[in-house]
Amino acid sequence: MSDMRNELFYEQKNGYDLIPLEERVKLEEYCSGYIGFLNSARTEREAVSFSVAEAEKRGFVAYVPGMALQPGMKIYRNNRGKALMLAVIGKRPLSSGAVIAGAHIDSPRLDLKQLPVMENEEICYFKTHYYGGIKKYQWVTIPLELHGTVALKDGSVTDVCIGRNKDEPRFVITDLLPHLAGDQMKKTMAEGITGEGLNIVIGSVPYDDEGKDRVKLAVLSILNDLYGISEEDFLSAELCAVPAFDVCEIGLDRSLIGGYGHDDRVCAYAELQAIFQVEDPEKTCVCILADKEETGSDGVSGMQSSAFDTFMEDLCTAQSVELRRCFENSFCISADVTNAFDPNYPEVSEKRNEAKINYGMGICKFTGARGKSGTSDASAEVVAYLRRIFEKNSVIWQMAELGKVDQGGGGTIAKFMANRNIDTIDAGVPVLSMHAPFETVSKFDCYMTFRGVLAAYSEK
Ligand code: MN
Ligand code: MN
């Protein structure tokens, strides 16, 4: 009787029951590297800089169109400092397809408006326009730090970073005290804090002179001292406020990682570490770190941009292969996070099909909303292929779905890859409190996502 159950039932097990102790050492090692990465890469630009530096240490060279390609060569293409493509050239020609993994390195945050500096009642603020899907009430009364880039008229570019180092000041958006929040508390959570209300406090001491906006003048003079910029330079700046929390271990057993931007730098890091392990692959391996996923993958650095096609077409041209032939034989893991079942909020999930913490890499056959709209529904054959290579490589994984039917939904870059005629499937790390200023993932799932991408890259 029980033998028959073993044979016929599909039972999932907690990942910690499935791996040997030695593997836990590797898992911890991998995760401490990831914590370092997440602490230093708070924006897509910083993630690109980190990745390029690490890639160059491992022999990757900047690809120049027209470059001759040899099997085993390691190249990268930096797309405007905001997205990155890396490849290790395979022994087989690109007509037999590439193995692609694509993650995104942008995360929800508060972008500064183009004329952000405002003084109101002798307090100085940055006005913001939030980026990506956020619950606005989560972004008040937390420490914030400032990151970004100011492009000047003379063509020079200045990087800005204030608040990352311990001795630097930080910023905050204030909220009402409960004593006076009677009316606010009657509003819905969507209305309690408004988009135009997300104003960041940046100073309060007036400049020592007569005239108006003395606090603003004082703040601008500090910025001028630090970066040589004036108010007009904000017009051509990309600055954003991100949570100033350090990434840390969570739980007495230290089994989880809390931090800002797991979505989707946790998968970006997994891909990066996986492609760093690839030597002389059969098929060409490609790692994409994309921008703009959180706002729909539009724009030159998003996955809908033809920057990717251009890069791949350049590689194909070097081998006299047609790009469309390469794409139709390629396989892509769209490495993006998924929801982790949260026992505090069971009502939004259908437990049987939702990913669980510590159960491994989460495979989403489809995403979308309202009857699978807006998704690339991976074929059964593609799922079977993953089952096969994950079993062969002892990758612990689980099937995942983003919430109950009609509860909501979401998307990834998967459909933009699949629309290129590339067999694509979503797979990544299950996250608790996704899109919050402080998200939580399990170390086990982070490590297995790395192992999963590596299994795909290693496949003959
Ligand atoms: Mn994502
Ligand atoms: Mn997201």
Side-chain angles (χ1 to χ4, degrees):
M1 194 62 186
S2 62
D3 280 356
M4 197 166 159
R5 279 203 180 80
N6 279 341
E7 210 174 303
L8 297 183
F9 285 178
Y10 173 60
E11 295 253 25
Q12 287 179 283
K13 289 204 178 96
N14 189 300
Y16 280 100
D17 293 329
L18 297 170
I19 59 165
L21 263 181
E22 318 78 92
E23 188 107 30
R24 288 207 202 178
V25 179
K26 290 187 197 160
L27 178 160
E28 292 293 339
E29 238 171 53
Y30 172 83
C31 287
S32 83
Y34 170 57
I35 289 172
F37 166 72
L38 197 61
N39 261 328
S40 61
R42 317 291 273 191
T43 64
E44 64 279 358
R45 286 181 194 264
E46 291 171 1
V48 167
S49 303
F50 178 102
S51 305
V52 167
E54 291 298 311
E56 285 181 344
K57 278 187 216 163
R58 291 163 174 84
F60 283 77
V61 296
Y63 175 73
V64 181
M67 206 180 240
L69 300 175
Q70 308 301 331
M73 242 176 103
K74 298 175 176 183
I75 55 171
Y76 71 85
R77 191 86 204 262
N78 183 337
N79 181 4
R80 299 169 171 87
K82 299 172 80 168
L84 185 67
M85 294 161 283
L86 305 104
V88 182
I89 306 301
K91 292 178 205 150
R92 289 165 67 181
L94 279 158
S95 49
S96 58
V99 184
I100 303 164
H104 66 93
I105 47 177
D106 60 318
S107 298
R109 62 180 186 230
L110 305 176
D111 281 347
L112 301 199
K113 294 196 184 201
Q114 293 325 117
L115 269 178
V117 190
M118 164 190 80
E119 177 171 338
N120 192 357
E121 298 298 330
E122 296 175 277
I123 297 178
C124 196
Y125 296 93
F126 278 144
K127 298 282 300 168
T128 66
H129 194 139
Y130 65 92
Y131 173 95
I134 63 167
K135 291 161 90 177
K136 299 180 197 83
Y137 71 85
Q138 294 178 330
W139 293 72
V140 297
T141 67
I142 59 167
L144 299 167
E145 53 193 50
L146 190 68
H147 292 250
T149 296
V150 185
L152 299 172
K153 269 192 293 191
D154 66 6
S156 66
V157 168
T158 302
D159 288 332
V160 170
C161 181
I162 306 174
R164 185 78 292 262
N165 295 320
K166 286 277 175 282
D167 56 343
E168 290 175 338
R170 291 176 170 175
F171 310 93
V172 75
I173 299 168
T174 56
D175 193 6
L176 268 180
L177 59 170
H179 317 64
L180 299 179
D183 290 339
Q184 183 198 40
M185 297 294 276
K186 287 180 198 136
K187 294 179 182 172
T188 66
M189 287 164 98
E191 293 163 339
I193 302 289
T194 63
E196 286 294 346
L198 292 173
N199 300 320
I200 301 171
V201 175
I202 55 169
S204 65
V205 178
Y207 197 81
D208 187 15
D209 78 347
E210 310 280 303
K212 69 178 184 76
D213 288 349
R214 294 193 303 143
V215 179
K216 174 174 167 178
L217 186 61
V219 160
L220 285 172
S221 87
I222 294 170
L223 283 169
N224 188 260
D225 288 346
L226 285 173
Y227 299 109
I229 57 173
S230 68
E231 188 176 20
E232 189 182 347
D233 295 323
F234 282 99
L235 296 173
S236 52
E238 281 180 349
L239 296 169
C240 64
V242 302
F245 306 124
D246 282 342
V247 185
C248 63
E249 294 176 309
I250 296 281
L252 288 170
D253 57 8
R254 300 170 180 261
S255 60
L256 308 166
I257 304 172
Y260 161 68
H262 287 310
D263 178 8
D264 182 34
R265 294 182 198 123
V266 68
C267 296
Y269 186 77
E271 282 184 15
L272 206 56
Q273 294 308 311
I275 201 153
F276 287 165
Q277 304 235 333
V278 171
E279 298 288 346
D280 301 314
E282 287 294 316
K283 289 186 179 180
T284 295
C285 295
V286 179
C287 167
I288 305 169
L289 307 182
D291 181 29
K292 292 284 174 281
E293 192 280 337
E294 295 296 355
T295 53
S297 296
D298 295 293
V300 284
S301 51
M303 213 53 241
Q304 298 199 66
S305 159
S306 62
F308 172 67
D309 310 78
T310 302
F311 176 65
M312 292 302 292
E313 190 164 359
D314 282 347
L315 303 190
C316 285
T317 302
Q319 299 184 352
S320 307
V321 166
E322 284 179 299
L323 178 67
R324 58 202 178 100
R325 208 55 69 213
C326 170
F327 277 178
E328 77 177 355
N329 291 317
S330 291
F331 168 69
C332 175
I333 289 186
S334 159
D336 204 345
V337 299
T338 186
N339 179 49
F341 175 77
D342 189 337
N344 263 339
Y345 306 95
E347 63 278 9
V348 301
S349 296
E350 194 266 295
K351 209 167 137 190
R352 172 189 300 270
N353 280 288
E354 200 89 352
K356 285 169 73 174
I357 285 290
N358 289 334
Y359 276 62
M361 189 180 198
I363 307 300
C364 284
K365 186 174 179 296
F366 53 86
T367 57
R370 298 172 307 281
K372 297 192 178 182
S373 288
T375 183
S376 146
D377 198 344
S379 72
E381 290 85 345
V382 167
V383 181
Y385 173 70
L386 273 192
R387 286 177 63 190
R388 190 157 67 241
I389 65 169
F390 284 177
E391 185 173 283
K392 198 164 87 184
N393 292 280
S394 309
V395 175
I396 313 295
W397 67 281
Q398 56 184 325
M399 201 44 103
E401 185 177 25
L402 192 62
K404 274 183 179 167
V405 177
D406 289 338
Q407 188 69 44
T412 65
I413 63 160
K415 63 178 176 182
F416 306 117
M417 301 306 288
N419 290 347
R420 290 176 159 106
N421 196 25
I422 299 170
D423 269 320
T424 303
I425 187 160
D426 274 304
V429 176
V431 178
L432 292 166
S433 330
M434 194 197 294
H435 283 208
F438 194 78
E439 305 172 311
T440 299
V441 294
S442 106
K443 286 181 177 175
F444 183 89
D445 303 332
C446 294
Y447 176 67
M448 278 304 158
T449 296
F450 153 71
R451 293 271 317 279
V453 176
L454 186 59
Y457 280 152
S458 310
E459 194 53 23
K460 301 277 181 268

